[in-house]
Amino acid sequence: MPGKATRARAAKPRRRSAEDRRRQVVAAAKRIVLRQGFEALTMRRVARLAGVSAAALYLYFPDRVSLMAAVADALFHGLLAAFRAALIRAEGNPDPRARLHAVMTAYLDWGLGHPDEYRVIFMTPITGVAGHRPGPPGVPAAPSGQATFQALQAEVARLIERGVFRPAEPQVVAEALWAAGHGLVALLITKPDFPWSPREALVGTMADALCRGFSADGTGLRAGSKPAAQRGEDRHAEADERDPRPGRSR
Amino acid sequence: MPGKATRARAAKPRRRSAEDRRRQVVAAAKRIVLRQGFEALTMRRVARLAGVSAAALYLYFPDRVSLMAAVADALFHGLLAAFRAALIRAEGNPDPRARLHAVMTAYLDWGLGHPDEYRVIFMTPITGVAGHRPGPPGVPAAPSGQATFQALQAEVARLIERGVFRPAEPQVVAEALWAAGHGLVALLITKPDFPWSPREALVGTMADALCRGFSADGTGLRAGSKPAAQRGEDRHAEADERDPRPGRSR
DNA sequence: CGTTCAGATGAACGCTGTTCATATACCGGC
DNA sequence: GCCGGTATATGAACAGCGTTCATCTGAACG
């Protein structure tokens, strides 16, 4: 508790080292995920890239999963940006379902386009399945993740209020939507050998079915044949800090 | 290829050692997953339980992921049994949607009831994300897994043929159903800290929405309030070889 | 009996997450 | 200006991981 503030100006440069090096470590870890991929996210590698010893990481994070959680939180901003961009893009659309469709396809496209980051955020297993204490029992695992989910939930609530969706608990519907999207991304990442149908057809079918399933009048996205064909050109629009990494193209 | 058969009776005990020890290793690995959990599935532990050295495992499996694939294949029979039991149970039901609902809830219940096995089968990441060659390029990763999926696909095709589901490619619909179910199970396993809605509500909402979304007439499972409430008593009916493992209850 | 050879092994390599005694550098108090 | 204390950082070490390899064993064959 160095808040005693050594009289005056000495407190500041010390403070910078305290919290800032933590951010610096997270930035190094983030860069490793982006450039070398998920498998390379190792304590020793992070330490090496951050220019510190491996033991020093344990001054800022109690263990590996805590660092991973911080990295996930940092990586989340990419998904959040894609989310927001999709919402803004579809804002003028009078059809409220189109907004949901935009959000869903944004989620799917981001996950499929950034599989390593997605694995860190949503597919890192809890170490012991049973061996995880909630830590500070008030704060959730990923703050910005919670925020993103609540954005989805708010969108769902709006749809229900306007009578577009059948009356239901917005939280349950939002969780189901999230889970469905996650399942698609996760399976495509984990089982690339499976003879999947074309991705556009899969994404379109999933989004259309869910929209139809939750709609009050049973209407899908477009009720037509190619509900998710118009987008597909501007897929890379939301990339903010892509980084070509060698030898891991696909 | 020792089929030369050393004259007579000597061939048999040799043959037993060849293919049978492979099965024995897989059985040991399976028992480890069931009793000690997913995290304990390591080469050295499997070897120790199987009564052989760690290096001996590499006489039967080229590397760890191949062993995991074999274990996954072995564990799949539990899910397959739950699948079949659900189908048989719902066979008398005249409503074809009920069959699909039974299959979906069987999948979800099995996955949520056997999280360690589920992680081996569906959530083990491909080692390098890019570093996986298809090996023998004709055989899929998990034979019985493929069979199970084709059972689902056949069920979907039947629904489409009878006009219950809207006309569509059965494979895409089956993949979407699988992905949605997987997403629910995977997220509940990976993110147990998230403030999820009650599981019954989640499962019911998901199953109903998908049924409604793919149905030709937009009809859900029961169109009522609690579509998944009648089952829930006979959840443990399909357990065939449960094994109470110490200290990992939840 | 001697040879051969598949099957099994112990030891080793390089890596992992994590801990701990030790060293360094900076700080307030004298 | 110097001293003692305290946070910060480190190298070395531990146990365990997947994997490889030279070596050993034991049964089958001529």
Side-chain angles (χ1 to χ4, degrees):
Chain A
M1 199 63 70
K4 205 61 199 302
T6 77
R7 198 64 63 99
R9 63 164 237 294
K12 263 297 163 55
R14 200 130 189 83
R15 256 272 162 270
R16 184 196 159 278
S17 265
E19 176 101 358
D20 225 37
R21 283 188 85 85
R22 208 185 121 107
R23 256 193 293 269
Q24 173 183 343
V25 167
V26 172
K30 191 174 158 187
R31 216 157 62 216
I32 283 188
V33 173
L34 261 44
R35 299 169 86 119
Q36 267 109 322
F38 175 83
E39 326 287 339
L41 189 53
T42 297
M43 299 298 268
R44 284 178 158 92
R45 276 194 228 232
V46 170
R48 208 180 312 152
L49 185 61
V52 297
S53 75
L57 299 186
Y58 291 85
L59 299 175
Y60 308 114
F61 303 93
D63 53 4
R64 182 175 184 268
V65 305
S66 300
L67 195 156
M68 298 265 288
V71 175
D73 195 52
L75 291 176
F76 221 110
H77 291 92
L79 175 57
L80 194 56
F83 241 75
R84 292 214 180 106
L87 271 180
I88 290 175
R89 215 178 307 144
E91 201 170 4
N93 200 317
D95 184 9
R97 264 182 296 262
R99 293 170 60 90
L100 183 66
H101 177 243
V103 167
M104 274 205 68
T105 54
Y107 183 93
L108 294 168
D109 283 343
W110 191 89
L112 295 173
H114 307 73
D116 292 289
E117 295 151 79
Y118 194 87
R119 286 177 71 186
V120 174
I121 299 178
F122 291 122
M123 297 171 69
T124 49
I126 303 301
T127 40
V129 167
H132 86 287
R133 290 139 305 176
V139 60
S144 52
Q146 199 103 350
T148 308
F149 176 78
Q150 282 177 357
L152 171 65
Q153 183 173 339
E155 188 66 34
V156 169
R158 224 169 301 153
L159 286 169
I160 295 177
E161 280 176 17
R162 297 189 193 174
V164 181
F165 269 17
R166 303 200 327 276
E169 202 68 49
Q171 186 180 340
V172 188
V173 176
E175 288 168 8
L177 287 171
W178 176 28
H182 168 75
L184 208 49
V185 177
L187 273 186
L188 282 169
I189 289 176
T190 311
K191 302 274 179 197
D193 286 335
F194 189 85
W196 296 106
S197 305
R199 278 193 186 180
E200 297 201 0
L202 256 176
V203 173
T205 300
M206 177 73 91
D208 184 60
L210 286 173
C211 237
R212 210 182 287 265
F214 286 120
S215 283
D217 54 357
T219 306
L221 295 170
R222 209 160 255 281
S225 53
K226 31 167 62 181
Q230 76 234 30
R231 55 131 209 95
E233 303 294 339
D234 54 349
R235 265 219 229 161
H236 314 83
E238 77 275 5
D240 54 340
E241 55 171 306
R242 194 88 56 89
D243 211 340
R245 78 179 96 107
R248 297 194 68 263
S249 62
R250 182 166 167 74
Chain B
M1 197 69 73
K4 206 64 202 300
T6 76
R7 197 64 64 99
R9 64 165 235 290
K12 262 298 160 51
R14 201 129 188 81
R15 252 271 162 265
R16 186 197 157 274
S17 266
E19 177 100 0
D20 225 35
R21 284 187 87 84
R22 208 185 122 106
R23 255 193 293 268
Q24 172 183 343
V25 167
V26 172
K30 191 172 157 185
R31 216 156 63 215
I32 283 188
V33 173
L34 260 44
R35 300 169 87 118
Q36 268 109 322
F38 175 83
E39 325 287 341
L41 188 53
T42 64
M43 300 297 268
R44 283 177 156 93
R45 274 194 230 234
V46 170
R48 208 180 312 153
L49 185 62
V52 297
S53 75
L57 299 186
Y58 291 84
L59 299 174
Y60 308 115
F61 302 94
D63 52 5
R64 183 175 183 266
V65 305
S66 300
L67 194 156
M68 297 267 286
V71 175
D73 195 52
L75 291 175
F76 221 110
H77 291 92
L79 174 57
L80 194 56
F83 240 75
R84 293 214 180 105
L87 272 180
I88 291 174
R89 216 180 304 143
E91 201 170 6
N93 199 317
D95 183 9
R97 264 181 296 262
R99 293 170 60 91
L100 183 67
H101 178 243
V103 167
M104 273 206 68
T105 55
Y107 183 93
L108 293 167
D109 283 343
W110 191 88
L112 295 173
H114 307 74
D116 291 290
E117 294 151 81
Y118 194 88
R119 286 177 71 188
V120 175
I121 298 177
F122 290 122
M123 297 170 69
T124 48
I126 304 302
T127 41
V129 166
H132 85 286
R133 290 138 305 174
V139 61
S144 51
Q146 199 103 351
T148 308
F149 175 79
Q150 282 177 358
L152 172 64
Q153 182 173 339
E155 188 66 32
V156 170
R158 225 169 301 152
L159 285 170
I160 294 177
E161 280 175 16
R162 296 187 193 175
V164 180
F165 270 16
R166 303 200 327 276
E169 201 68 50
Q171 185 181 339
V172 187
V173 176
E175 288 169 7
L177 286 171
W178 176 28
H182 168 75
L184 208 49
V185 177
L187 273 186
L188 282 169
I189 289 177
T190 311
K191 303 274 178 197
D193 286 336
F194 189 85
W196 296 105
S197 305
R199 278 191 187 181
E200 297 201 357
L202 255 176
V203 173
T205 300
M206 177 73 92
D208 184 59
L210 286 173
C211 240
R212 210 183 287 265
F214 286 119
S215 284
D217 55 355
T219 306
L221 295 168
R222 211 160 255 280
S225 51
K226 30 166 65 178
Q230 77 234 30
R231 55 133 209 93
E233 302 293 339
D234 53 347
R235 268 220 228 161
H236 316 84
E238 75 277 3
D240 53 340
E241 55 172 302
R242 195 87 55 89
D243 210 340
R245 77 179 94 108
R248 296 196 67 264
S249 63
R250 181 164 168 69

